[in-house]
Amino acid sequence: MNYYSLNKKAPNTTFRHAVINGIAPDRGLYFPESITPLPAYFFEHIDQLSNTEIAFTAIKQFVGDDIPEKDLKAIIEDTLQFDFPLVEVEDNVYSLELFHGPTMAFKDVGARFMARCLQYFNKNNDEKVTVLVATSGDTGGAVASGFLGVKGVDVVILYPKGKVSDIQERQLTTLGQNITALEVDGVFDDCQDMVKSAFLDTDITNSRKLTSANSINVARWMPQLFYFLFAYKRLKKHGQKIAFSVPSGNFGNICAGILAHKLGMPADQFIASTNVNDVVPKFLETGNYEPVASKQTISNAMDVGNPSNFIRIQELYGNDTNALKEVFSSSSYTDDTTKDAMKSIYNKSGYTADPHGAVGYLGLKNYLKDHPETVGAFLETAHPVKFLDVVKETLDIDIAIPEQIQSVLNKKKEKISISDYSGLKRFLLS
Ligand SMILES: *Cc1c(COP(=O)(O)O)cnc(C)c1O
């Protein structure tokens, strides 16, 4: 499978090179040249397939010949070493729990898949690759864990100072080995801009091979389509229309869901639920796409002012906003509304949602009001323990700390502070 740049000013390239380079030379995001729907019987009989079989069938065409089937199967098997429970919260409302991986947020799947692809591509190569990644919270931990100890790969993580939770910070600053954390005096968008600038800086790229592990990278972005298929496998038995509500920041996860739909997965609606960082809901309302500086919220992994994957969603609909609106909607919620939702879910169902999942729940409930015949899942993208302070304070409960988190709690944070792009450049050239 070949990939083209959405800026259309760079040559097309293979999956392998799209993964190794991360972003195209013209700064565009890579996009697959073709999307071939899977046969109808795949969806009819999906409940008889294992998660590994489903994932392999869905991703195979996007990898093409760059990884032999046997090796691709092994990569998927190794990536999907945990469960993806679908928990009934209310009638017609399910939580798709994506937090059972090593760092307890959904990004584990994309990070693990990408790390293993890179390791495969690097296997006969002594050239070191540096994975440079900006995080609004969970990416850093997932990438650090996914890439820890991978030979030939150095990982450099940029995160905004004081804007990630204590547990998130520990997950990315305590591993050591091939992982370095840079604490940036700024917001997430500053981190993301610095990463993009570094990719275009020949002083750096002449001395280091750089790649990204944000959802910009196709190997991080695409495997997220697995979740939607895993949920569909269990939702289809209801024989109802299906909606997915995805708490969205950079819109990579929901874009992968729409990709699953393009592969033929029956679904009626994809709801991008956001916090007050509402560029996309505003765009759908007004037709104007106006990126702004991100605002800090209690669902910090979604504090994104210029979602990098929205352009891929538009591409999936040939930039036809009316066609897009038939399956895609978006709504925005304040922190207060989110906390109220966390309380009401807990009081009604005894279910503990984290702030991101609660935003997803709100978007789904809003849609179901007008579509009572639909069954829906909101993606519970992180374990509530990752946002311990907010969850404890809002629900007035204690949460048992799972083992994955316990193991980082007492480790010492190691980080390097930088305040601007020159700081990043100095570090990468040193
Ligand atoms: C990253 C993240 C999101 C946002 O996902 P996108 O793919 O960037 O839209 C939502 N919730 C949590 C917990 C996350 O870590």
Side-chain angles (χ1 to χ4, degrees):
M1 167 69 64
N2 280 333
Y3 288 77
Y4 60 93
S5 162
L6 289 180
N7 283 352
K8 316 255 162 73
K9 293 194 187 71
N12 292 5
T13 193
T14 57
F15 174 73
R16 177 191 180 106
H17 284 108
V19 176
I20 293 174
N21 295 332
I23 194 162
D26 62 358
R27 276 189 103 153
L29 269 60
Y30 281 118
F31 197 85
E33 265 185 345
S34 63
I35 298 167
T36 309
L38 299 170
Y41 67 75
F42 171 75
F43 296 100
E44 283 156 18
H45 301 289
I46 195 166
D47 40 336
Q48 291 152 32
L49 301 175
S50 70
N51 282 354
T52 309
E53 288 166 329
I54 293 170
F56 174 75
T57 308
I59 202 86
K60 188 167 59 171
Q61 65 173 294
F62 299 113
V63 175
D65 300 331
D66 285 358
I67 303 179
E69 293 203 348
K70 173 174 77 54
D71 297 292
L72 181 59
K73 273 189 187 144
I75 288 173
I76 290 171
E77 185 89 47
D78 199 29
T79 297
L80 300 177
Q81 287 293 322
F82 38 89
D83 293 334
F84 303 85
L86 186 71
V87 177
E88 185 172 19
V89 174
E90 294 167 16
D91 277 353
N92 286 338
V93 175
Y94 288 80
S95 168
L96 177 61
E97 294 187 346
L98 303 179
F99 56 70
H100 295 272
T103 71
M104 314 210 86
F106 81 94
K107 293 185 174 78
D108 280 327
V109 165
R112 290 165 68 84
F113 182 79
M114 182 186 158
R116 283 155 184 78
C117 287
L118 217 49
Q119 188 165 27
Y120 176 84
F121 293 142
N122 225 23
K123 69 180 189 308
N124 299 320
N125 198 337
D126 295 329
E127 186 191 24
K128 266 208 154 176
V129 183
T130 300
V131 170
L132 187 61
V133 68
T135 183
S136 58
D138 289 329
T139 301
V143 168
S145 155
F147 283 84
L148 182 68
V150 170
K151 248 182 64 206
V153 183
D154 280 331
V155 176
V156 178
I157 300 167
L158 282 75
Y159 70 100
K161 180 177 178 178
K163 298 191 173 60
V164 303
S165 77
D166 180 58
I167 286 174
Q168 287 174 327
E169 188 177 27
R170 285 182 195 277
Q171 285 182 322
L172 54 98
T173 56
T174 60
L175 291 174
Q177 297 189 45
N178 57 333
I179 317 289
T180 306
L182 301 181
E183 179 188 55
V184 176
D185 194 2
V187 294
F188 169 69
D189 299 283
D190 298 322
C191 301
Q192 185 149 279
D193 284 347
M194 284 189 200
V195 167
K196 285 185 184 163
S197 300
F199 278 100
L200 298 169
D201 189 332
T202 46
D203 293 343
I204 295 172
T205 54
N206 286 339
S207 71
R208 268 183 192 252
K209 176 94 208 136
L210 289 186
T211 191
S212 71
N214 288 103
S215 48
I216 291 170
N217 196 302
V218 294
R220 240 299 305 279
W221 163 53
M222 291 184 147
Q224 301 177 144
L225 69 84
F226 302 161
Y227 311 137
F228 297 84
L229 297 170
F230 298 165
Y232 175 73
K233 166 178 169 177
R234 285 162 290 165
L235 287 173
K236 88 188 254 279
K237 67 166 187 279
H238 295 268
Q240 286 167 258
K241 290 182 172 171
I242 295 174
F244 289 101
S245 174
V246 186
S248 297
N250 255 326
F251 285 66
N253 200 7
I254 191 160
C255 184
I258 299 173
L259 185 61
H261 184 53
K262 288 279 169 183
L263 288 177
M265 181 189 76
D268 273 72
Q269 190 78 184
F270 291 87
I271 304 148
S273 304
T274 73
N275 56 31
V276 291
N277 293 285
D278 60 353
V279 213
V280 172
K282 279 221 174 96
F283 166 74
L284 293 182
E285 211 177 289
T286 65
N288 299 323
Y289 185 85
E290 287 169 357
V292 288
S294 56
K295 300 178 198 81
Q296 199 179 341
T297 73
I298 57 168
S299 47
N300 65 37
M302 310 199 289
D303 294 352
V304 182
N306 185 13
S308 47
N309 283 288
F310 190 60
I311 185 171
R312 281 185 171 137
I313 295 181
Q314 289 176 299
E315 185 75 6
L316 282 166
Y317 286 88
N319 293 302
D320 177 346
T321 307
N322 289 329
L324 173 62
K325 278 179 172 172
E326 284 177 21
V327 287
F328 179 81
S329 54
S330 189
S331 48
S332 146
Y333 300 94
T334 64
D335 280 355
D336 283 342
T337 312
T338 306
K339 286 183 189 168
D340 287 344
M342 289 165 67
K343 284 182 205 153
S344 102
I345 300 167
Y346 186 74
N347 292 335
K348 266 199 275 184
S349 322
Y351 189 78
T352 311
D354 96 294
H356 303 77
V359 169
Y361 168 89
L362 284 165
L364 180 60
K365 288 292 276 189
N366 182 49
Y367 180 79
L368 293 182
K369 260 196 311 209
D370 300 326
H371 301 83
E373 75 290 4
T374 301
V375 60
F378 63 94
L379 277 56
E380 182 37 297
T381 45
H383 192 289
V385 77
K386 293 200 78 175
F387 303 91
L388 198 58
D389 295 346
V390 189
V391 175
K392 259 181 157 167
E393 186 199 300
T394 307
L395 301 181
D396 198 18
I397 55 169
D398 271 324
I399 302 179
I401 313 256
E403 199 187 317
Q404 288 105 307
I405 303 291
Q406 200 82 52
S407 67
V408 297
L409 278 186
N410 299 320
K411 289 202 192 136
K412 191 168 168 331
K413 296 179 190 172
E414 303 274 1
K415 63 204 173 189
I416 296 171
S417 300
I418 61 170
S419 53
D420 54 18
Y421 181 66
S422 65
L424 173 62
K425 187 162 175 170
R426 260 196 313 277
F427 172 79
L428 289 175
L429 293 178
S430 66

